[in-house]
């Protein structure tokens, strides 16, 4: 079973994402911000990281940069799931190593299609 690290400071958003992904057969690990996500990622390998941008302590773009610096996460797909839709933020995310960008509110079938695509 493929595992996904879902990172969002909103409990309701984490629960929604977890519900959609688990229903599709994925194992989901959750984190409330980038700092917690980095700790989780160092302790266990995941197949995909799905992160928000705006979070306390460490935002999603900084998290992606930090994860990309770890050998185990050099090639792990990382999707950004955020309300942020500005071109500048997307470019910043891409430069940090984001694989894709999904704008909230998200459409569950589209999220699952994107996840399936990047996981191959």
């Amino acid at each position: 079973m493929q595992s996904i690290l879902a990172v969002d400071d909103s409990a309701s958003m984490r629960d929604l994402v977890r519900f959609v992904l688990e229903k599709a057969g994925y194992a989901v690990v959750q984190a409330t911000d980038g700092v917690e996500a980095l700790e989780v990622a160092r302790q266990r390998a995941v197949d995909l990281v799905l992160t928000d941008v705006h979070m306390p302590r460490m935002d999603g773009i900084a998290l992606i940069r930090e994860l990309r610096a770890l050998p185990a996460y050099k090639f792990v797909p990382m999707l950004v799931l955020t309300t942020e839709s500005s071109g500048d933020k997307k470019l910043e995310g891409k430069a940090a190593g984001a694989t894709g960008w999904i704008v909230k509110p998200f459409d569950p079938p589209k999220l699952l299609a994107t996840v399936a695509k990047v996981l191959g």
Side-chain angles (χ1 to χ4, degrees):
M1 182 183 290
Q2 291 177 304
S3 60
I4 298 173
L5 173 56
V7 191
D8 201 303
D9 56 328
S10 161
S12 58
M13 184 53 66
R14 278 194 317 275
D15 288 343
L16 179 60
V17 166
R18 189 194 69 208
F19 175 77
V20 169
L21 294 171
E22 285 182 348
K23 199 169 155 199
Y26 297 103
V28 179
V29 186
Q30 297 180 331
T32 57
D33 62 26
V35 172
E36 187 182 336
L38 201 50
E39 288 170 17
V40 169
R42 284 186 171 127
Q43 290 167 9
R44 60 170 296 174
V46 296
D47 299 299
L48 171 78
V49 177
L50 185 63
T51 183
D52 187 15
V53 170
H54 301 288
M55 297 179 291
R57 299 200 303 166
M58 182 190 295
D59 72 18
I61 291 173
L63 170 63
I64 290 170
R65 267 192 216 103
E66 292 286 329
L67 287 172
R68 287 287 180 225
L70 302 174
Y73 283 89
K74 212 174 202 60
F75 302 108
V76 171
M78 298 186 195
L79 296 174
V80 177
L81 178 62
T82 181
T83 54
E84 183 67 64
S85 61
S86 81
D88 289 351
K89 270 290 178 209
K90 287 181 184 176
L91 286 173
E92 193 182 341
K94 192 173 174 81
T99 310
W101 197 276
I102 302 165
V103 178
K104 293 178 194 170
F106 69 93
D107 176 43
K110 278 188 185 157
L111 173 66
L112 292 174
T114 305
V115 166
K117 186 178 171 188
V118 298
L119 285 174

